[in-house]
Amino acid sequence: MKIFHNPDHRAHSGRHEMYRGRLVACHEVPARLDHVMNELQHRPMGELLAPPPAPRARLERVHSARYLDFLAHAWNEWVAQDPANAEMDVLPSVWPARGFRSDVPPDNFSARVGLFSFDAGTPLTAGTWQAAQTGAACALAAADAVLAGDRSAFALTRPPGHHAGPDFLGGYCFLNSGALAAQALRDGGAQRVAVLDVDYHHGNGTQTVFYDRADVLTVSIHGDPRTEYPFYLGHADETGEGNGLGTNLNLPLPRGTGFDTWLAALDTAIARVHAFRADALVVPLGLDSFEGDPISGFTLRSADYPRVGERLAAMGLPTVFTFEGGYAVAEVGINTVNVLEGFQHTRA
Ligand code: SP5
Ligand code: ZN
């Protein structure tokens, strides 16, 4: 499979995220992607390619113009507020809750950051926009490869994407790679596209992008939002709305869930994708279901991941993978390539 990697990913390197009233070191670090690249040197899965730039019009298929403008100018506005800000990451500290307005972006930059965010764990840095744009380009290039006839392609990029919505960042995500790939597949001629999100955390951004649409099925297997991030979305009773009623499936599992139960959920997810008669598949591939993940609660082992790839390959659909979470940094390369290897050696 073609692997589109992000040569600009290091430009996004946050210093800290807010956790229990303190700033702590970021979990979403450049070394994550370096480990995957390194593992791919030992176990090649396909051609490593840099993507062509992403035209703004393709980003606007998923994200609002005002949000993209905000991201494009955020760092300069931050530094314009106070030159000393250049030494610090942007993090929000005020947000519009229910009853507040979100239709009037404030002139005040700090207030605008909160309008376009849902947590204080997603630092925006000098190079974030560059890294995010090239990351989106990886997702679009992977979709284009599949549209051109490839069986599969991998958008190997960070920052991750699946928590980012039409108009908001959060969960270490800025532009939603999986949603951009799914939309690109639709725009390129796929009639029905399924997104099967296997990251430990609910794919709230992707769900929100497609919630009222019948042409894109969104399925997510994740830690139960009653106890797990992102908390405010991802319950089993969220099934879609309007035209999209019945085209969202959430499979929340309790913290502590092991591979057998997880795999049964994957089979449920796969059956739904088949019932939907999808003609292309996007897999937001988070490796934070791993037992050693420092911020997550499932107990999958490295040896389980090839079987995940096998199950996905057996679906027989043109497939785009996007790289999402996975914070056991030393193992994230092995676990990622284990999924790809299982996929590659399996015929539908
Ligand atoms: C893409 C993805 O996996 N995003 C996950 C975002 C989770 N953010 C909240 C994590 C809070 C955990 N902080 C724990 C610090 C303790 N050392
Ligand atoms: Zn995650």
Side-chain angles (χ1 to χ4, degrees), residues 17-20 24-25 27-28 32 119 121-122 159-163 170-173 199-201 229-231 286 288 294-296 323-327:
E17 57 185 86
M18 182 67 83
Y19 180 67
R20 294 189 185 166
V24 302
H27 294 277
E28 202 291 290
R32 300 176 58 245
D119 71 11
T122 311
H162 76 149
H163 294 301
Y172 315 150
C173 303
D199 186 279
Y200 178 76
H201 305 97
Y229 185 93
F231 306 117
D288 40 12
I295 65 168
S296 308
F323 187 55
E324 302 288 344
Y327 308 100

Coordinates of all heavy atoms in Angstrom, one line a residue, residues 17-20 24-25 27-28 32 119 121-122 159-163 170-173 199-201 229-231 286 288 294-296 323-327, ligand 1:
E17 N -0.1 20.2 28.0 CA -1.5 20.1 28.0 C -2.0 20.3 29.4 O -1.3 19.9 30.4 CB -2.0 18.8 27.4 CG -1.5 17.6 28.1 CD -1.9 16.3 27.3 OE1 -1.2 15.9 26.4 OE2 -3.0 15.7 27.7
M18 N -3.2 20.8 29.5 CA -3.8 21.0 30.9 C -4.4 19.7 31.4 O -5.1 19.0 30.7 CB -4.9 22.1 30.8 CG -5.6 22.4 32.1 SD -4.5 23.3 33.2 CE -4.6 24.9 32.6
Y19 N -4.0 19.3 32.6 CA -4.5 18.1 33.2 C -4.6 18.3 34.7 O -3.6 18.6 35.4 CB -3.6 16.9 32.9 CG -4.1 15.6 33.5 CD1 -5.3 15.0 33.0 CD2 -3.4 15.0 34.5 CE1 -5.7 13.9 33.6 CE2 -3.8 13.8 35.0 CZ -5.0 13.3 34.6 OH -5.4 12.1 35.2
R20 N -5.9 18.2 35.2 CA -6.1 18.4 36.6 C -5.5 19.6 37.2 O -4.7 19.6 38.2 CB -5.7 17.2 37.4 CG -6.5 15.9 37.1 CD -6.1 14.8 38.0 NE -6.8 13.5 37.6 CZ -6.4 12.4 38.1 NH1 -5.5 12.2 39.0 NH2 -7.1 11.3 37.7
V24 N 0.9 19.6 32.0 CA 1.8 18.4 32.0 C 2.3 18.2 30.5 O 1.8 18.8 29.6 CB 1.0 17.2 32.4 CG1 0.5 17.4 33.8 CG2 -0.1 16.8 31.4
A25 N 3.4 17.5 30.4 CA 4.0 17.2 29.1 C 3.0 16.6 28.1 O 2.2 15.8 28.5 CB 5.3 16.3 29.3
H27 N 1.3 14.2 25.4 CA 1.4 12.8 25.1 C 1.6 12.7 23.6 O 2.2 11.7 23.1 CB 0.1 12.1 25.5 CG 0.0 12.0 27.0 ND1 0.6 11.1 27.7 CD2 -0.7 12.8 27.9 CE1 0.3 11.3 29.0 NE2 -0.5 12.3 29.1
E28 N 1.0 13.6 22.8 CA 1.0 13.5 21.4 C 2.3 14.2 20.8 O 2.3 15.3 20.5 CB -0.3 14.2 20.8 CG -0.7 13.7 19.5 CD 0.3 14.1 18.4 OE1 0.3 15.3 18.1 OE2 1.0 13.3 17.9
R32 N 6.2 9.7 18.2 CA 5.2 8.7 17.8 C 5.4 8.3 16.3 O 5.5 7.1 16.0 CB 3.8 9.2 18.1 CG 3.5 9.6 19.5 CD 2.2 10.2 19.7 NE 1.1 9.2 19.3 CZ 0.3 9.5 18.2 NH1 0.4 10.6 17.5 NH2 -0.5 8.6 17.9
D119 N -11.3 21.6 24.4 CA -10.6 21.2 25.6 C -9.3 22.1 25.7 O -9.0 22.8 24.8 CB -10.2 19.7 25.6 CG -9.2 19.3 24.6 OD1 -8.5 20.1 24.0 OD2 -9.0 18.0 24.4
G121 N -6.4 20.7 26.2 CA -5.3 19.7 26.1 C -4.7 19.6 24.7 O -3.9 18.7 24.4
T122 N -5.0 20.6 23.9 CA -4.6 20.6 22.5 C -3.9 21.9 22.1 O -4.4 22.8 21.6 CB -5.9 20.5 21.6 OG1 -6.7 19.4 22.1 CG2 -5.5 20.2 20.1
P159 N -0.4 16.0 13.5 CA -1.4 15.6 14.6 C -2.5 14.7 14.1 O -2.8 14.7 12.9 CB -1.9 17.0 15.0 CG -1.7 17.9 13.9 CD -0.4 17.5 13.2
P160 N -3.1 14.0 15.0 CA -4.2 13.2 14.6 C -5.5 14.0 14.2 O -5.4 15.2 14.2 CB -4.5 12.3 15.9 CG -4.0 13.2 17.0 CD -2.8 13.9 16.4
G161 N -6.6 13.3 13.9 CA -7.7 14.1 13.3 C -9.1 13.8 13.9 O -9.9 14.7 13.8
H162 N -9.3 12.6 14.4 CA -10.7 12.2 14.6 C -11.6 13.0 15.6 O -12.8 12.9 15.6 CB -10.9 10.7 14.8 CG -10.5 10.2 16.1 ND1 -11.1 9.1 16.7 CD2 -9.6 10.7 17.1 CE1 -10.6 8.9 17.9 NE2 -9.7 9.9 18.1
H163 N -10.9 13.8 16.5 CA -11.7 14.6 17.4 C -12.1 16.0 16.8 O -12.9 16.7 17.4 CB -10.9 14.8 18.7 CG -10.7 13.6 19.5 ND1 -11.8 12.8 20.0 CD2 -9.6 13.0 19.9 CE1 -11.3 11.8 20.6 NE2 -10.0 11.8 20.6
G170 N -9.6 19.9 19.2 CA -9.6 19.3 20.5 C -9.1 17.9 20.4 O -8.9 17.3 19.3
G171 N -8.7 17.3 21.6 CA -8.2 15.9 21.6 C -7.0 15.7 20.7 O -6.8 14.7 20.1
Y172 N -6.1 16.7 20.7 CA -4.9 16.7 20.0 C -5.1 16.9 18.5 O -4.1 16.7 17.7 CB -4.0 15.5 20.2 CG -3.9 15.0 21.6 CD1 -3.7 13.7 22.0 CD2 -3.9 15.9 22.7 CE1 -3.6 13.2 23.3 CE2 -3.7 15.5 24.0 CZ -3.6 14.2 24.3 OH -3.5 13.7 25.6
C173 N -6.3 17.2 18.0 CA -6.7 17.2 16.6 C -7.1 18.5 16.1 O -7.7 19.3 16.8 CB -7.8 16.2 16.4 SG -7.6 14.5 16.9
D199 N -9.8 3.8 17.3 CA -9.1 4.5 18.3 C -9.8 4.3 19.7 O -11.0 4.1 19.7 CB -9.0 6.0 18.0 CG -8.2 6.9 18.9 OD1 -8.6 7.2 20.0 OD2 -7.0 7.2 18.6
Y200 N -9.0 4.3 20.8 CA -9.6 4.1 22.1 C -10.7 5.2 22.4 O -11.6 4.9 23.2 CB -8.5 4.2 23.2 CG -9.1 4.1 24.6 CD1 -9.5 2.8 25.1 CD2 -9.3 5.2 25.4 CE1 -10.0 2.7 26.3 CE2 -9.8 5.0 26.7 CZ -10.2 3.8 27.1 OH -10.8 3.6 28.4
H201 N -10.5 6.4 21.9 CA -11.5 7.5 22.2 C -12.5 7.6 21.1 O -12.2 7.4 19.9 CB -10.7 8.8 22.3 CG -9.6 8.7 23.3 ND1 -8.3 8.5 22.9 CD2 -9.6 8.9 24.6 CE1 -7.5 8.5 24.0 NE2 -8.3 8.7 25.1
Y229 N -12.6 10.0 28.1 CA -12.5 11.1 27.1 C -13.1 10.6 25.7 O -12.8 9.5 25.3 CB -11.1 11.5 27.0 CG -10.9 12.7 26.1 CD1 -10.8 14.0 26.7 CD2 -10.7 12.6 24.8 CE1 -10.6 15.1 25.9 CE2 -10.5 13.7 24.0 CZ -10.5 15.0 24.5 OH -10.3 16.1 23.8
P230 N -13.8 11.5 25.0 CA -14.2 12.9 25.2 C -15.5 13.1 26.0 O -16.0 14.3 25.9 CB -14.3 13.4 23.8 CG -14.8 12.3 23.0 CD -14.2 11.0 23.6
F231 N -16.0 12.2 26.7 CA -17.0 12.3 27.7 C -18.4 12.8 27.2 O -19.4 12.3 27.7 CB -16.6 13.3 28.8 CG -15.3 13.0 29.5 CD1 -14.2 13.8 29.4 CD2 -15.1 11.8 30.2 CE1 -13.0 13.5 30.0 CE2 -13.9 11.4 30.8 CZ -12.8 12.3 30.7
G286 N -6.3 4.3 15.6 CA -5.6 4.6 16.9 C -5.1 3.4 17.5 O -5.8 2.3 17.5
D288 N -4.2 3.4 20.7 CA -4.3 3.6 22.1 C -5.2 2.5 22.8 O -5.5 2.6 24.0 CB -4.7 5.0 22.5 CG -5.7 5.6 21.5 OD1 -6.3 4.9 20.8 OD2 -5.9 6.8 21.6
P294 N -0.6 4.9 28.1 CA -0.6 5.6 29.4 C -1.8 6.4 29.7 O -2.1 6.8 30.9 CB 0.6 6.6 29.3 CG 0.8 6.8 27.8 CD 0.4 5.5 27.2
I295 N -2.7 6.7 28.7 CA -3.9 7.5 29.0 C -5.2 6.7 28.7 O -6.3 7.3 28.6 CB -3.9 8.8 28.3 CG1 -3.9 8.7 26.7 CG2 -2.6 9.6 28.7 CD1 -4.2 10.0 26.0
S296 N -5.1 5.4 28.4 CA -6.3 4.7 27.9 C -6.5 3.4 28.8 O -5.7 3.1 29.6 CB -6.1 4.4 26.4 OG -5.8 5.5 25.7
F323 N -3.7 7.7 10.6 CA -3.0 7.4 11.9 C -3.6 8.4 12.9 O -3.7 9.6 12.7 CB -1.5 7.7 11.7 CG -0.7 7.4 12.9 CD1 -0.7 6.1 13.5 CD2 0.2 8.3 13.4 CE1 0.1 5.8 14.5 CE2 1.0 8.0 14.5 CZ 0.9 6.8 15.1
E324 N -4.1 7.8 14.0 CA -4.8 8.6 15.1 C -4.0 8.5 16.4 O -2.8 8.9 16.4 CB -6.2 8.2 15.2 CG -7.0 8.3 13.9 CD -7.3 9.7 13.5 OE1 -7.2 10.6 14.3 OE2 -7.7 9.9 12.3
G325 N -4.6 8.1 17.5 CA -3.9 8.1 18.8 C -2.9 6.9 18.9 O -2.7 6.1 18.0
G326 N -2.4 6.7 20.2 CA -1.5 5.7 20.5 C -0.3 6.3 21.2 O 0.5 7.0 20.5
Y327 N -0.2 6.2 22.5 CA 0.7 7.1 23.3 C 1.8 6.2 24.0 O 2.6 6.8 24.8 CB 0.0 8.0 24.2 CG -1.1 8.8 23.4 CD1 -2.4 8.4 23.4 CD2 -0.7 9.8 22.5 CE1 -3.3 9.0 22.5 CE2 -1.6 10.4 21.7 CZ -2.9 10.0 21.7 OH -3.8 10.6 20.9
Ligands
SP5_1 C1 -6.4 11.3 19.1 C2 -6.5 11.0 20.5 O1 -6.2 9.8 20.9 N1 -6.8 12.0 21.4 C3 -6.9 11.7 22.8 C4 -7.0 13.0 23.6 C5 -7.1 12.7 25.0 N2 -6.9 13.9 25.8 C6 -7.2 13.8 27.2 C7 -6.2 12.9 27.9 C8 -6.1 13.3 29.3 C9 -5.1 12.4 30.0 N3 -4.1 13.1 30.7 C10 -3.3 12.2 31.6 C11 -2.1 12.8 32.1 C12 -1.6 12.0 33.2 N4 -0.2 11.8 33.3

